[in-house]
Amino acid sequence: MPDATMPVEGANEVTHRILAHYRVHARDLPWRSAPGMPPPDPYAVWLSEIMLQQTTVTAVKPYFAKFLGLWGDVTALAAAEDAAVMRAWAGLGYYARARNLLACARAVVAEYGGAFPHDETQLRALPGIGIYTAAAIAAIAFGKRAVVVDGNVERVVARYFAVEMPLPAAKPVLREHADSLTPDTDAGDFAQAMMDLGATLCTPRNPACDRCPIMSSCAGRLKAEQFPVKPPKRAKREREGTVWWIERAGQVLLVDRPSKGLLGGMAALPTCDWRGRAAMAPLVAEWNVAGQVDHVFTHFALKLRVKSAYVTEDVATALGGRWWPIDRIEEAGLPSVFAKAAQRALGLAADQ
């Protein structure tokens, strides 16, 4: 097997093959320019990259279109109300991204007059923009030479160089290998070419090696699915809790989550701290058990018992909440876990 630290072909030839493949097979995505065309709007690149963090392209497309329709540039987004942005983001998950999105938009307007900086260091100083996102914006939106390494790129590089070191320790090594292939020009197209290679051919399972433009010199092609090497998975912690559906005259009581922490600032149904089922209800009422919803967060799996009650008194102020029309519950911007609970309370959820 070839030395894992050196490609069989020269870096220039490998890069050329990847770019040539991209020019023919590039994915048509709403936030991209076609290969060889002028760079896309930096706002679109930034918005898409934030949305795509830990989220699929398929899931992001409608949200991207929605945000562009509501706030067509960074200045408009910076002026938006926090609650409106959180409602528009609802269902996309990882809600800290939405809060950082607003903070970043406002910083770009306040510090740079509404124009994104070109420099990676300046980009990294903005809220919610890390090493990867800064490099992606610099390369794709501004044509700068930047080393763009996401999960797809890591997989391609780990296989091509047959990197035996497991993640996450291997990340600096994989970045060095990606750097060795990144051209001085066309860095934006190259970054997107590598992402496409990982997303469409060099997939985690059943990679299409026979259609890969660099298969002939890939050191790991004979055991591709073994790369990148990953540490053993840890079982997710399990947590339990109760959520309360409080109904009155065709409306349901909603509250706002604390601004910091999990689902911060989002509209929600009243709930406990998810430490157990023996939670005290927010008010005395005749509670009915509507069922249970299961939801998986990044660090834990949640089993949430749903209880419902009908009240005649206006308890919204006392409970720090507000009434929302039940027939417009889909417009409330509930995060997925509470949207599931609402469906369960309304008897619309399938048995789990």
Side-chain angles (χ1 to χ4, degrees):
M1 179 173 289
D3 187 335
T5 63
M6 294 293 290
V8 174
E9 298 176 291
N12 289 342
E13 175 61 22
V14 174
T15 300
H16 172 75
R17 288 174 182 268
I18 293 170
L19 282 169
H21 182 271
Y22 178 69
R23 293 185 186 107
V24 177
H25 300 285
R27 289 181 293 175
D28 182 12
L29 299 175
W31 44 83
R32 278 190 181 175
S33 294
M37 298 300 291
D41 180 6
Y43 174 68
V45 176
W46 164 72
L47 181 61
S48 67
E49 289 297 343
I50 299 300
M51 288 184 167
L52 286 164
Q53 291 170 7
Q54 302 182 4
T55 309
T56 65
V57 166
T58 301
V60 164
K61 282 182 177 180
Y63 283 89
F64 178 80
K66 181 198 299 184
F67 267 70
L68 281 189
L70 292 170
W71 306 289
D73 57 34
V74 71
T75 302
L77 181 58
E81 294 183 359
D82 291 40
V85 173
M86 299 305 283
R87 281 196 302 271
W89 190 277
L92 196 56
Y94 301 98
Y95 293 95
R97 294 180 300 169
R99 297 192 293 274
N100 283 331
L101 197 76
L102 266 175
C104 184
R106 290 164 181 168
V108 169
V109 170
E111 299 173 25
Y112 297 101
F116 280 88
H118 298 202
D119 180 72
E120 280 187 80
T121 301
Q122 291 177 312
L123 286 165
R124 285 199 300 270
L126 292 170
I129 296 184
I131 293 174
Y132 160 75
T133 305
I137 295 171
I140 298 169
F142 300 117
K144 302 285 187 181
R145 185 192 185 279
V147 183
V148 183
V149 184
D150 69 351
N152 285 318
V153 176
E154 284 185 343
R155 185 166 56 257
V156 173
V157 172
R159 289 173 175 174
Y160 184 74
F161 291 93
V163 177
E164 300 280 358
M165 183 184 298
L167 291 170
K171 285 182 176 291
V173 175
L174 298 177
R175 182 176 177 80
E176 288 179 10
H177 284 315
D179 192 0
S180 74
L181 299 176
T182 301
D184 292 331
T185 58
D186 294 326
D189 278 358
F190 179 76
Q192 292 173 117
M194 289 287 279
M195 294 177 198
D196 278 12
L197 201 58
T200 63
L201 298 182
C202 197
T203 50
R205 297 287 177 265
N206 302 314
C209 295
D210 58 329
R211 293 190 283 130
C212 177
I214 56 174
M215 177 195 69
S216 61
S217 55
C218 177
R221 67 186 182 278
L222 297 180
K223 50 179 182 178
E225 291 192 17
Q226 296 183 25
F227 301 106
V229 180
K230 297 180 180 179
K233 283 189 176 181
R234 295 182 178 179
K236 284 185 180 290
R237 291 178 297 147
E238 293 188 354
R239 295 172 66 175
E240 296 182 353
T242 303
V243 62
W244 293 281
W245 175 273
I246 303 171
E247 186 175 336
R248 175 181 181 267
Q251 298 180 309
V252 62
L253 185 76
L254 299 184
V255 297
D256 291 326
R257 301 278 293 174
S259 59
K260 294 183 180 180
L262 188 63
L263 307 179
M266 300 295 295
L269 298 173
T271 188
C272 64
D273 61 4
W274 300 344
R275 298 292 180 183
R277 290 197 171 199
M280 182 177 295
L283 53 80
V284 176
E286 185 177 338
W287 293 103
N288 299 305
V289 178
Q292 176 181 295
V293 296
D294 298 329
H295 192 78
V296 178
F297 290 97
T298 304
H299 300 297
F300 65 93
L302 175 67
K303 293 184 181 298
L304 199 58
R305 194 179 192 188
V306 183
K307 291 186 176 183
S308 63
Y310 188 90
V311 298
T312 56
E313 296 182 6
D314 187 351
V315 296
T317 301
L319 297 181
R322 62 188 181 281
W323 296 109
W324 186 272
I326 293 175
D327 60 3
R328 291 175 46 214
I329 192 63
E330 293 183 356
E331 302 172 24
L334 294 175
S336 296
V337 63
F338 291 109
K340 288 180 184 179
Q343 294 293 297
R344 175 61 70 185
L346 292 169
L348 301 177
D351 290 337
Q352 298 184 9

